[in-house]
Amino acid sequence: MALSIGIVGLPNVGKSTLFNALTKAQNAEAANYPFCTIEPNKATVAVPDKRLDALAEIVKPQRVLHATVDFIDIAGLVRGASKGEGLGNQFLANIRECAAILEVVRCFDDENITHVDGAIDPLRDIETIETELLLADIQSAEKRYERLQKMAKGDKDAKAAAEEVARLLEHMNAGNPASTFEARESDAFQLAWREMGLLTAKKIIYCANVDETGIGEENAHVLRVRELAASRGADVVKICAKIEEELQGLSDEEQAEMLGSYGIDESGLVSIIRTGYHTLGLASYFTAGEKEVRAWTIKQGWKAPQGAGVIHTDFERGFIRAEVIAYDDYVKHRSEAACRSAGVLRVEGKEYVMQDGDVVHFLFNV
């Protein structure tokens, strides 16, 4: 499973600059005017993980495969997008499959960069973004409700699902996000829920974009964003898109030196991915062999068969057992054979709960 993050924000808040920097792909034009991102931009980025690099140094495989993150950048939203203002909300469909939404808000003052609403106010921007996401969800739910009503005439399940969608619409029309809706158990409604891909049901990460002076300190704009996020149980990432852009093309040593000069120890890419894993409750495990050393993304709390299923569904169906070595033990003993001899290789069954950093070899029936 790959982590997918949709990047949203108002025009001229730095989200396309951020996209360029995060993906090292200069295919999202960054310009000082609204709506410079017309088509959605998507890029797949390797997840930086020093543990994977350490394992590769020990095993010396033919190839090293990182876990990946998909970033999708869409055109800037403005107030009234659901009614066609600006470029409208036509591109929101491109992030309905994303696991999380990164809301980029501008938290710096610069008279040379215009703001679509005339002044810097990140909380107002967040309200605008989330209102447009909610209105888009209402439109989606209304369409689903109409279809279910037509089906309900001869289908009891469709009728029950239609009633639930009606409750959902009432909930959202009152200004509430889909994430706070308590649905009754219904297979038909759960199917409708998944197909709608409601944006306000997704996890939100707030991204405060600051200037160079704000990266090492908490300005008033950032503090307001953090306070709002805390009240909603959401995570916040503070980045400087301009610095991230300047990091591109530098060696690892040069990047570390530049980040250190600003008093930070990790890039925006690492910070956003780390926060995304935390927000979504994700973890990584590793497989290590002569052919490849590879990182795999799983949900925290998954049991061994589910973890095996990420590699291939046959692994989950035919799961027999898992041979597990903790990352620290593998690095200490330097090989699977040495870990076995030292007694730190464990044989686990179907009830084993996967741990972040496990180095695993699965055995299964074909």
Side-chain angles (χ1 to χ4, degrees), residues 145-331:
Y145 179 63
E146 291 174 4
R147 288 197 294 271
L148 285 169
Q149 275 192 311
K150 293 177 181 178
M151 296 167 57
K153 296 177 181 178
D155 187 330
K156 292 182 179 179
D157 288 339
K159 181 179 180 181
E163 292 173 352
E164 283 299 283
V165 174
R167 289 182 58 241
L168 171 63
L169 278 167
E170 183 179 359
H171 176 83
M172 292 193 297
N173 276 314
N176 303 305
S179 59
T180 60
F181 178 67
E182 295 184 6
R184 300 188 182 95
E185 288 298 323
S186 164
D187 290 340
F189 176 71
Q190 291 302 322
L191 176 61
W193 177 273
R194 290 192 297 271
E195 290 178 347
M196 284 186 289
L198 298 172
L199 299 165
T200 60
K202 299 182 185 299
K203 294 287 188 179
I204 297 294
I205 302 169
Y206 295 107
C207 180
N209 183 22
V210 299
D211 58 15
E212 295 96 323
T213 60
I215 197 64
E217 60 185 34
E218 298 283 77
N219 65 38
H221 298 312
V222 175
L223 290 174
R224 293 176 68 204
V225 173
R226 290 197 186 281
E227 183 178 358
L228 175 69
S231 71
R232 298 179 177 182
D235 287 326
V236 177
V237 177
K238 182 175 72 170
I239 60 99
C240 174
K242 186 175 181 179
I243 291 176
E244 294 300 319
E245 201 167 40
E246 292 174 355
L247 288 173
Q248 306 317 310
L250 300 181
S251 67
D252 291 344
E253 293 75 15
E254 290 170 332
Q255 287 192 17
E257 182 179 352
M258 182 174 175
L259 290 171
S261 70
Y262 287 104
I264 52 180
D265 57 9
E266 67 180 13
S267 68
L269 171 63
V270 173
S271 181
I272 288 171
I273 291 176
R274 176 176 51 77
T275 304
Y277 268 63
H278 175 264
T279 296
L280 295 169
L282 301 179
S284 296
Y285 76 84
F286 308 104
T287 52
E290 292 182 0
K291 289 187 176 180
E292 69 176 32
V293 168
R294 184 166 183 169
W296 304 88
T297 303
I298 57 172
K299 281 278 192 179
Q300 292 178 11
W302 273 13
K303 295 183 178 180
Q306 292 174 288
V310 173
I311 299 176
H312 197 287
T313 53
D314 287 347
F315 283 31
E316 182 172 5
R317 287 194 296 265
F319 179 88
I320 299 175
R321 64 180 182 273
E323 295 180 346
V324 183
I325 305 169
Y327 168 77
D328 288 341
D329 288 333
Y330 199 106
V331 172

Side-chain angles (χ1 to χ4, degrees), residues 16-67:
S16 292
T17 300
L18 173 63
F19 178 84
N20 287 340
L22 294 181
T23 62
K24 299 182 182 179
Q26 303 300 314
N27 60 349
E29 182 185 0
N32 182 25
Y33 57 90
F35 317 124
C36 63
T37 306
I38 305 295
E39 295 295 334
N41 295 275
K42 178 178 179 180
T44 300
V45 182
V47 175
D49 195 323
K50 294 181 180 179
R51 298 172 300 178
L52 187 68
D53 299 333
L55 290 172
E57 181 64 27
I58 293 169
V59 178
K60 297 186 175 6
Q62 296 175 19
R63 61 178 183 173
V64 179
L65 295 175
H66 289 249

